[in-house]
Amino acid sequence: MTEAPRSTSTSRRRFLQGSGLAATAGLAGCLGGSGGSGLDELNVAYMPIYPDMQYFVMEEEGLFDQLSVPVAGKKFSDGPSIVQASATGDFDVMMFGIVPAMIVMDKGIPAKITAANIKNAMQILATDEFAALWEEHGSDAFAEFEAQKGRKFTFGTFPPGSVPDILLRYWIQNTLGLDPEEDVNIKGLGGAAAVQQALLSNNVDGTSIMEPVPTVIDANDAPFQSIAWAGDFMPGQPAAVTLMHDRLRQDNRDLATEFVELHQQATDFVADDPDTAAQHASSVIGESALPVETARAALDSPASDFITDPHDIEGGAEIFADYAQTLGKTEAQLSIDEMFDYGVYGSL
């Protein structure tokens, strides 16, 4: 698997704007700072996808400047790439899919989830032609497709072990009663950009993907449509989370609380000022790839359900933990206590 080029960014100082965010100006002082613990900066791994929207807002609104230490962000194309990079233990915060987060914890890296970023984030897209078969035949549409085309239906999505990949396999097996290894082809393509390009080039028949890709596909009049949404077949489906290394979560509790407080402020900001949030998303992802108007339309998708409270994904996390272990992505099935630290959010 080839890792996309990483870009390093530090927070930009600017006046806080919109939705009362100036009220956070005294946050660091009120929460007590890092307590002189020795952390000189926070190293944050993130992805240019909507499930990391809180990072976009915190960066672009200058909220990171309210922390006791500066933030250094590194961008990755997908969660498995962050898992690979996490082996060095350099990241204090990782904002990525819950399954890669489980893999990191299962590998013995001392970390826990302190916030959720989004729920119900996945859409299952298929060609318009297949959607007609789906409407008529339901889950038998895959067999009908193979009979007509002489080949299996091909999904292209994020790499194996990612949330889109495992969610897709769960849907095929547990919702449709089919075999994801026998009844369809599933190709790991890389990150969101690779999946989007495959769809626009008609190189795959469908995908499991998060926003803004479905909205970009629609804006480009590509012949794909949603045939299923995670909120219907797994309500509360977890996607991206905020995973904190123990040196932050335990050893620098005040600073950890500052970060999660700003995360909540960013979640509220998206709900209160989606127009500006869309501008931030376009800026971080790239306006040529995601024009502001498309970014704004993607915020109206049911798959753009941003949250901070980690309790909201507890049920889905248990399902994913079971499935991740069954597929061999983790050696053990992680428990809720092993995955989550609710105390940071609870102290806000």
Side-chain angles (χ1 to χ4, degrees), residues 134-315:
W134 176 261
E135 184 70 23
E136 182 178 357
H137 299 284
S139 60
D140 292 335
F142 292 101
E144 184 67 23
F145 178 93
E146 185 173 355
Q148 292 183 13
K149 301 290 186 180
R151 63 176 180 84
K152 295 178 182 178
F153 185 99
T154 297
F155 284 102
T157 189
F158 274 43
S162 64
V163 170
D165 171 73
I166 288 197
L167 192 279
L168 175 62
R169 294 174 187 275
Y170 175 89
W171 176 68
I172 293 169
Q173 181 171 321
N174 294 71
T175 303
L176 304 185
L178 302 177
D179 187 335
E181 299 296 335
E182 298 293 334
D183 295 320
V184 298
N185 286 325
I186 300 177
K187 295 172 60 176
L189 299 177
V195 173
Q196 181 174 302
Q197 183 58 42
L199 294 169
L200 293 174
S201 302
N202 291 307
N203 288 332
V204 293
D205 304 307
T207 189
S208 165
I209 199 67
M210 71 291 289
E211 291 291 353
V213 174
T215 301
V216 171
I217 296 303
D218 183 64
N220 282 274
D221 295 321
F224 290 86
Q225 59 183 277
S226 176
I227 61 170
W229 169 53
D232 287 329
F233 62 85
M234 188 193 288
Q237 175 249 318
V241 296
T242 296
L243 184 73
M244 283 189 179
H245 197 283
D246 282 2
R247 65 171 166 265
L248 173 61
R249 181 183 65 86
Q250 289 186 327
D251 301 341
N252 294 272
R253 195 70 168 187
D254 289 344
L255 182 56
T257 303
E258 290 180 40
F259 190 94
V260 174
E261 171 68 18
L262 294 183
H263 187 289
Q264 180 67 68
Q265 293 283 343
T267 298
D268 294 340
F269 182 91
V270 178
D272 295 338
D273 192 353
D275 291 343
T276 304
Q279 293 174 19
H280 295 335
S282 177
S283 177
V284 173
I285 294 175
E287 190 169 358
S288 60
L290 183 66
V292 173
E293 59 270 21
T294 306
R296 179 63 184 86
L299 286 177
D300 291 331
S301 166
S304 294
D305 191 354
F306 302 103
I307 58 174
T308 295
D309 188 348
H311 293 89
D312 288 352
I313 61 169
E314 182 176 289

Side-chain angles (χ1 to χ4, degrees), residues 2 27 35 60 64 77 84 97 102-103 127 150-151 210 269 303 311 320 338:
T2 301
L27 179 63
E60 295 298 303
F64 286 141
S77 66
Q84 289 181 347
M102 291 176 186
I103 295 172
T127 62
R151 63 176 180 84
M210 71 291 289
F269 182 91
H311 293 89
F320 269 66
E338 289 171 323

